[in-house]
Amino acid sequence: EPAPPPATKIKKPLPRITIDQVVCDNTTLLILPKQSGKQPLDFDIHDLILTSVGAGKPFKFRGNLTNAKPVREIRTNGTFGPWQVDDPGGTAVSGSYTFTDADLGPLPGIGGILSSSGKYSGVLQSIEVEGVTDTPDFSIDPVGRAVPLHTEFSATVDGTNGDTYLHPVRATLIHSQITAKGSVVRVPEKQGHLIVLDVVAPRARLEDLLQLATKSTQPMMSGLVNLRTKMALPPGKVKVLDKLTLDGEFDVSDARFASRS
């Protein structure tokens, strides 16, 4: 005798109720990734306010999130939904954010105070982000001096696991233009992120790079640098210079020493 067909689950319609405002204090949002072995992504959210919350339609939100590294509050507001029950990663999200006065000092080997702002849109598993960062006193400890660093970036972020794909980052270091593209991927067993970038600086100023790499008030050389390299920065609680690897080439044109002595 053939087996009876499995019972069909009847989906009950969600109640058509709209809540004017939902206030959430000290909330933790935990997102479970689809891939096995991946660590869940969690956010500490403070002062979260949701408005016009109901089934089958987007709702508005505003709130503060705690960024893990560097530790600082992110202010954000936007719209979320409607929630996709069968595919949560396909839920739409959009909004803007600000992130100010973040101290890079606790991160091994770098320093400075970073601020960032931008906007984002897409679905939870593929969020397109555009923004800028400013670090007026960026430094690499212990070798260099503090120099201004400004970036403009475009990235795709997987909101279910935090993996980020940069395409590209346009950085201005003092007066030199540097372009980088690549990925920042979480490595669960290492409790950190692997950063892999392709870096190009076709006409950077040698004196700008030397200020970042030496403590001298006046760089010993000046000239134009043509740099092309692959950069890898693995996770680990050691200084940037102790774990950074570069694989590429550079040449310097019109090089001049600052002093004959």
Side-chain angles (χ1 to χ4, degrees):
E1 249 179 62
T8 303
K9 290 185 179 180
I10 300 175
K11 293 184 179 180
K12 294 183 179 180
L14 295 173
R16 294 185 176 276
I17 299 174
T18 299
I19 302 174
D20 182 58
Q21 187 178 85
V22 179
V23 178
C24 307
D25 293 326
N26 300 321
T27 301
T28 297
L29 174 62
L30 187 67
I31 300 177
L32 301 177
K34 286 184 177 180
Q35 302 95 329
S36 61
K38 289 274 189 177
Q39 294 294 316
L41 193 64
D42 60 283
F43 300 93
D44 291 327
I45 306 176
H46 315 288
D47 308 319
L48 176 64
I49 297 177
L50 315 176
T51 57
S52 300
V53 181
K57 65 177 184 178
F59 58 82
K60 296 180 181 179
F61 68 87
R62 68 178 187 272
N64 296 335
L65 289 74
T66 300
N67 191 67
K69 291 181 181 180
V71 177
R72 199 62 184 175
E73 293 296 297
I74 300 176
R75 292 185 177 183
T76 183
N77 65 85
T79 60
F80 185 82
W83 180 255
Q84 302 299 310
V85 177
D86 297 328
D87 180 22
T91 302
V93 62
S94 64
S96 60
Y97 76 90
T98 57
F99 180 52
T100 60
D101 300 327
D103 186 4
L104 300 177
L107 301 178
I110 61 174
I113 303 297
L114 179 144
S115 298
S116 180
S117 63
K119 58 183 180 180
Y120 53 89
S121 63
V123 295
L124 195 57
Q125 65 188 7
S126 182
I127 306 171
E128 300 299 324
V129 185
E130 292 184 359
V132 298
T133 74
D134 278 292
T135 312
D137 54 351
F138 179 74
S139 64
I140 297 179
D141 181 53
V143 299
R145 299 173 57 210
V147 298
L149 175 65
H150 171 83
T151 73
E152 301 174 2
F153 67 89
S154 174
T156 301
V157 179
D158 186 337
T160 65
N161 58 27
D163 290 351
T164 301
Y165 301 89
L166 305 166
H167 46 80
V169 175
R170 294 172 293 276
T172 303
L173 180 74
I174 310 180
H175 300 292
S176 295
Q177 305 294 317
I178 303 169
T179 301
K181 62 180 180 179
S183 61
V184 182
V185 177
R186 207 174 187 192
V187 184
E189 63 272 15
K190 297 291 186 179
Q191 295 297 308
H193 292 80
L194 170 64
I195 303 173
V196 178
L197 299 174
D198 290 314
V199 181
V200 177
R203 291 181 63 83
R205 301 197 324 172
L206 179 59
E207 54 267 40
D208 294 345
L209 302 182
L210 288 176
Q211 283 196 60
L212 184 63
T214 65
K215 290 187 178 295
S216 173
T217 56
Q218 180 178 356
M220 60 179 295
M221 291 182 68
S222 63
L224 294 177
V225 178
N226 179 19
L227 170 68
R228 184 180 296 272
T229 186
K230 182 177 288 294
M231 186 191 86
L233 193 64
K237 295 182 179 180
V238 296
K239 291 187 175 181
V240 169
L241 289 181
D242 294 332
K243 61 182 181 179
L244 175 67
T245 60
L246 299 174
D247 182 10
E249 58 185 19
F250 72 93
D251 59 73
V252 180
S253 60
D254 195 25
R256 299 181 182 182
F257 286 96
S259 173
R260 293 179 180 273
S261 58

mmCIF file with all atom_site columns, all heavy atoms in Angstrom, residues 42-56:
data_model
loop_
_atom_site.group_PDB
_atom_site.id
_atom_site.type_symbol
_atom_site.label_atom_id
_atom_site.label_alt_id
_atom_site.label_comp_id
_atom_site.label_asym_id
_atom_site.label_entity_id
_atom_site.label_seq_id
_atom_site.pdbx_PDB_ins_code
_atom_site.Cartn_x
_atom_site.Cartn_y
_atom_site.Cartn_z
_atom_site.occupancy
_atom_site.B_iso_or_equiv
_atom_site.pdbx_formal_charge
_atom_site.auth_seq_id
_atom_site.auth_comp_id
_atom_site.auth_asym_id
_atom_site.auth_atom_id
_atom_site.pdbx_PDB_model_num
ATOM 1   N N   . ASP A 1 42 ? 26.004 39.294 16.393 1.00 0.00 ? 42 ASP A N   1
ATOM 2   C CA  . ASP A 1 42 ? 25.136 39.902 17.400 1.00 0.00 ? 42 ASP A CA  1
ATOM 3   C C   . ASP A 1 42 ? 25.439 41.384 17.551 1.00 0.00 ? 42 ASP A C   1
ATOM 4   O O   . ASP A 1 42 ? 26.578 41.816 17.417 1.00 0.00 ? 42 ASP A O   1
ATOM 5   C CB  . ASP A 1 42 ? 25.269 39.190 18.753 1.00 0.00 ? 42 ASP A CB  1
ATOM 6   C CG  . ASP A 1 42 ? 26.685 39.239 19.295 1.00 0.00 ? 42 ASP A CG  1
ATOM 7   O OD1 . ASP A 1 42 ? 27.539 38.470 18.805 1.00 0.00 ? 42 ASP A OD1 1
ATOM 8   O OD2 . ASP A 1 42 ? 26.952 40.054 20.183 1.00 0.00 ? 42 ASP A OD2 1
ATOM 9   N N   . PHE A 1 43 ? 24.389 42.166 17.816 1.00 0.00 ? 43 PHE A N   1
ATOM 10  C CA  . PHE A 1 43 ? 24.483 43.604 17.982 1.00 0.00 ? 43 PHE A CA  1
ATOM 11  C C   . PHE A 1 43 ? 23.853 43.991 19.312 1.00 0.00 ? 43 PHE A C   1
ATOM 12  O O   . PHE A 1 43 ? 22.773 43.515 19.659 1.00 0.00 ? 43 PHE A O   1
ATOM 13  C CB  . PHE A 1 43 ? 23.732 44.346 16.864 1.00 0.00 ? 43 PHE A CB  1
ATOM 14  C CG  . PHE A 1 43 ? 24.237 44.069 15.478 1.00 0.00 ? 43 PHE A CG  1
ATOM 15  C CD1 . PHE A 1 43 ? 23.676 43.066 14.705 1.00 0.00 ? 43 PHE A CD1 1
ATOM 16  C CD2 . PHE A 1 43 ? 25.263 44.820 14.932 1.00 0.00 ? 43 PHE A CD2 1
ATOM 17  C CE1 . PHE A 1 43 ? 24.112 42.809 13.422 1.00 0.00 ? 43 PHE A CE1 1
ATOM 18  C CE2 . PHE A 1 43 ? 25.717 44.566 13.650 1.00 0.00 ? 43 PHE A CE2 1
ATOM 19  C CZ  . PHE A 1 43 ? 25.145 43.573 12.890 1.00 0.00 ? 43 PHE A CZ  1
ATOM 20  N N   . ASP A 1 44 ? 24.540 44.846 20.062 1.00 0.00 ? 44 ASP A N   1
ATOM 21  C CA  . ASP A 1 44 ? 23.943 45.461 21.244 1.00 0.00 ? 44 ASP A CA  1
ATOM 22  C C   . ASP A 1 44 ? 23.292 46.766 20.806 1.00 0.00 ? 44 ASP A C   1
ATOM 23  O O   . ASP A 1 44 ? 23.969 47.663 20.292 1.00 0.00 ? 44 ASP A O   1
ATOM 24  C CB  . ASP A 1 44 ? 25.002 45.741 22.310 1.00 0.00 ? 44 ASP A CB  1
ATOM 25  C CG  . ASP A 1 44 ? 25.549 44.453 22.918 1.00 0.00 ? 44 ASP A CG  1
ATOM 26  O OD1 . ASP A 1 44 ? 24.778 43.493 23.020 1.00 0.00 ? 44 ASP A OD1 1
ATOM 27  O OD2 . ASP A 1 44 ? 26.740 44.425 23.270 1.00 0.00 ? 44 ASP A OD2 1
ATOM 28  N N   . ILE A 1 45 ? 21.975 46.868 20.972 1.00 0.00 ? 45 ILE A N   1
ATOM 29  C CA  . ILE A 1 45 ? 21.222 48.023 20.495 1.00 0.00 ? 45 ILE A CA  1
ATOM 30  C C   . ILE A 1 45 ? 20.607 48.751 21.692 1.00 0.00 ? 45 ILE A C   1
ATOM 31  O O   . ILE A 1 45 ? 20.005 48.124 22.562 1.00 0.00 ? 45 ILE A O   1
ATOM 32  C CB  . ILE A 1 45 ? 20.102 47.608 19.525 1.00 0.00 ? 45 ILE A CB  1
ATOM 33  C CG1 . ILE A 1 45 ? 20.681 46.755 18.386 1.00 0.00 ? 45 ILE A CG1 1
ATOM 34  C CG2 . ILE A 1 45 ? 19.386 48.816 18.970 1.00 0.00 ? 45 ILE A CG2 1
ATOM 35  C CD1 . ILE A 1 45 ? 19.635 46.222 17.437 1.00 0.00 ? 45 ILE A CD1 1
ATOM 36  N N   . HIS A 1 46 ? 20.800 50.064 21.727 1.00 0.00 ? 46 HIS A N   1
ATOM 37  C CA  . HIS A 1 46 ? 20.259 50.881 22.814 1.00 0.00 ? 46 HIS A CA  1
ATOM 38  C C   . HIS A 1 46 ? 19.252 51.876 22.242 1.00 0.00 ? 46 HIS A C   1
ATOM 39  O O   . HIS A 1 46 ? 19.405 52.360 21.125 1.00 0.00 ? 46 HIS A O   1
ATOM 40  C CB  . HIS A 1 46 ? 21.376 51.645 23.526 1.00 0.00 ? 46 HIS A CB  1
ATOM 41  C CG  . HIS A 1 46 ? 22.574 50.786 23.817 1.00 0.00 ? 46 HIS A CG  1
ATOM 42  N ND1 . HIS A 1 46 ? 22.572 49.813 24.766 1.00 0.00 ? 46 HIS A ND1 1
ATOM 43  C CD2 . HIS A 1 46 ? 23.802 50.740 23.248 1.00 0.00 ? 46 HIS A CD2 1
ATOM 44  C CE1 . HIS A 1 46 ? 23.748 49.222 24.803 1.00 0.00 ? 46 HIS A CE1 1
ATOM 45  N NE2 . HIS A 1 46 ? 24.513 49.759 23.872 1.00 0.00 ? 46 HIS A NE2 1
ATOM 46  N N   . ASP A 1 47 ? 18.250 52.184 23.018 1.00 0.00 ? 47 ASP A N   1
ATOM 47  C CA  . ASP A 1 47 ? 17.292 53.240 22.653 1.00 0.00 ? 47 ASP A CA  1
ATOM 48  C C   . ASP A 1 47 ? 16.688 53.016 21.268 1.00 0.00 ? 47 ASP A C   1
ATOM 49  O O   . ASP A 1 47 ? 16.583 53.944 20.470 1.00 0.00 ? 47 ASP A O   1
ATOM 50  C CB  . ASP A 1 47 ? 17.969 54.622 22.707 1.00 0.00 ? 47 ASP A CB  1
ATOM 51  C CG  . ASP A 1 47 ? 18.666 54.857 24.037 1.00 0.00 ? 47 ASP A CG  1
ATOM 52  O OD1 . ASP A 1 47 ? 18.097 54.478 25.070 1.00 0.00 ? 47 ASP A OD1 1
ATOM 53  O OD2 . ASP A 1 47 ? 19.777 55.408 24.027 1.00 0.00 ? 47 ASP A OD2 1
ATOM 54  N N   . LEU A 1 48 ? 16.322 51.790 20.963 1.00 0.00 ? 48 LEU A N   1
ATOM 55  C CA  . LEU A 1 48 ? 15.739 51.465 19.666 1.00 0.00 ? 48 LEU A CA  1
ATOM 56  C C   . LEU A 1 48 ? 14.251 51.803 19.673 1.00 0.00 ? 48 LEU A C   1
ATOM 57  O O   . LEU A 1 48 ? 13.518 51.387 20.573 1.00 0.00 ? 48 LEU A O   1
ATOM 58  C CB  . LEU A 1 48 ? 15.937 49.988 19.355 1.00 0.00 ? 48 LEU A CB  1
ATOM 59  C CG  . LEU A 1 48 ? 15.297 49.463 18.060 1.00 0.00 ? 48 LEU A CG  1
ATOM 60  C CD1 . LEU A 1 48 ? 15.923 50.142 16.847 1.00 0.00 ? 48 LEU A CD1 1
ATOM 61  C CD2 . LEU A 1 48 ? 15.438 47.949 17.971 1.00 0.00 ? 48 LEU A CD2 1
ATOM 62  N N   . ILE A 1 49 ? 13.817 52.559 18.671 1.00 0.00 ? 49 ILE A N   1
ATOM 63  C CA  . ILE A 1 49 ? 12.405 52.924 18.539 1.00 0.00 ? 49 ILE A CA  1
ATOM 64  C C   . ILE A 1 49 ? 11.918 52.500 17.159 1.00 0.00 ? 49 ILE A C   1
ATOM 65  O O   . ILE A 1 49 ? 12.504 52.867 16.138 1.00 0.00 ? 49 ILE A O   1
ATOM 66  C CB  . ILE A 1 49 ? 12.195 54.434 18.746 1.00 0.00 ? 49 ILE A CB  1
ATOM 67  C CG1 . ILE A 1 49 ? 12.608 54.840 20.173 1.00 0.00 ? 49 ILE A CG1 1
ATOM 68  C CG2 . ILE A 1 49 ? 10.738 54.809 18.494 1.00 0.00 ? 49 ILE A CG2 1
ATOM 69  C CD1 . ILE A 1 49 ? 12.507 56.323 20.440 1.00 0.00 ? 49 ILE A CD1 1
ATOM 70  N N   . LEU A 1 50 ? 10.852 51.686 17.125 1.00 0.00 ? 50 LEU A N   1
ATOM 71  C CA  . LEU A 1 50 ? 10.224 51.239 15.891 1.00 0.00 ? 50 LEU A CA  1
ATOM 72  C C   . LEU A 1 50 ? 8.868  51.925 15.766 1.00 0.00 ? 50 LEU A C   1
ATOM 73  O O   . LEU A 1 50 ? 8.136  52.035 16.756 1.00 0.00 ? 50 LEU A O   1
ATOM 74  C CB  . LEU A 1 50 ? 10.028 49.727 15.905 1.00 0.00 ? 50 LEU A CB  1
ATOM 75  C CG  . LEU A 1 50 ? 11.200 48.862 16.389 1.00 0.00 ? 50 LEU A CG  1
ATOM 76  C CD1 . LEU A 1 50 ? 10.802 47.398 16.419 1.00 0.00 ? 50 LEU A CD1 1
ATOM 77  C CD2 . LEU A 1 50 ? 12.422 49.078 15.513 1.00 0.00 ? 50 LEU A CD2 1
ATOM 78  N N   . THR A 1 51 ? 8.520  52.366 14.578 1.00 0.00 ? 51 THR A N   1
ATOM 79  C CA  . THR A 1 51 ? 7.227  53.022 14.370 1.00 0.00 ? 51 THR A CA  1
ATOM 80  C C   . THR A 1 51 ? 6.475  52.378 13.212 1.00 0.00 ? 51 THR A C   1
ATOM 81  O O   . THR A 1 51 ? 7.080  51.881 12.263 1.00 0.00 ? 51 THR A O   1
ATOM 82  C CB  . THR A 1 51 ? 7.403  54.532 14.094 1.00 0.00 ? 51 THR A CB  1
ATOM 83  O OG1 . THR A 1 51 ? 8.260  54.714 12.969 1.00 0.00 ? 51 THR A OG1 1
ATOM 84  C CG2 . THR A 1 51 ? 8.013  55.237 15.297 1.00 0.00 ? 51 THR A CG2 1
ATOM 85  N N   . SER A 1 52 ? 5.155  52.380 13.316 1.00 0.00 ? 52 SER A N   1
ATOM 86  C CA  . SER A 1 52 ? 4.257  51.807 12.303 1.00 0.00 ? 52 SER A CA  1
ATOM 87  C C   . SER A 1 52 ? 4.619  50.358 12.010 1.00 0.00 ? 52 SER A C   1
ATOM 88  O O   . SER A 1 52 ? 4.835  49.956 10.862 1.00 0.00 ? 52 SER A O   1
ATOM 89  C CB  . SER A 1 52 ? 4.290  52.640 11.014 1.00 0.00 ? 52 SER A CB  1
ATOM 90  O OG  . SER A 1 52 ? 3.875  53.959 11.253 1.00 0.00 ? 52 SER A OG  1
ATOM 91  N N   . VAL A 1 53 ? 4.688  49.539 13.065 1.00 0.00 ? 53 VAL A N   1
ATOM 92  C CA  . VAL A 1 53 ? 5.100  48.145 12.943 1.00 0.00 ? 53 VAL A CA  1
ATOM 93  C C   . VAL A 1 53 ? 3.885  47.267 12.667 1.00 0.00 ? 53 VAL A C   1
ATOM 94  O O   . VAL A 1 53 ? 2.914  47.261 13.439 1.00 0.00 ? 53 VAL A O   1
ATOM 95  C CB  . VAL A 1 53 ? 5.796  47.673 14.239 1.00 0.00 ? 53 VAL A CB  1
ATOM 96  C CG1 . VAL A 1 53 ? 6.242  46.220 14.094 1.00 0.00 ? 53 VAL A CG1 1
ATOM 97  C CG2 . VAL A 1 53 ? 6.985  48.576 14.556 1.00 0.00 ? 53 VAL A CG2 1
ATOM 98  N N   . GLY A 1 54 ? 3.946  46.527 11.576 1.00 0.00 ? 54 GLY A N   1
ATOM 99  C CA  . GLY A 1 54 ? 2.855  45.624 11.232 1.00 0.00 ? 54 GLY A CA  1
ATOM 100 C C   . GLY A 1 54 ? 3.308  44.590 10.230 1.00 0.00 ? 54 GLY A C   1
ATOM 101 O O   . GLY A 1 54 ? 4.363  44.733 9.598  1.00 0.00 ? 54 GLY A O   1
ATOM 102 N N   . ALA A 1 55 ? 2.507  43.524 10.067 1.00 0.00 ? 55 ALA A N   1
ATOM 103 C CA  . ALA A 1 55 ? 2.859  42.449 9.145  1.00 0.00 ? 55 ALA A CA  1
ATOM 104 C C   . ALA A 1 55 ? 2.685  42.897 7.700  1.00 0.00 ? 55 ALA A C   1
ATOM 105 O O   . ALA A 1 55 ? 1.770  43.648 7.368  1.00 0.00 ? 55 ALA A O   1
ATOM 106 C CB  . ALA A 1 55 ? 1.981  41.230 9.424  1.00 0.00 ? 55 ALA A CB  1
ATOM 107 N N   . GLY A 1 56 ? 3.623  42.442 6.850  1.00 0.00 ? 56 GLY A N   1
ATOM 108 C CA  . GLY A 1 56 ? 3.478  42.660 5.417  1.00 0.00 ? 56 GLY A CA  1
ATOM 109 C C   . GLY A 1 56 ? 3.828  44.043 4.933  1.00 0.00 ? 56 GLY A C   1
ATOM 110 O O   . GLY A 1 56 ? 3.506  44.392 3.790  1.00 0.00 ? 56 GLY A O   1
#
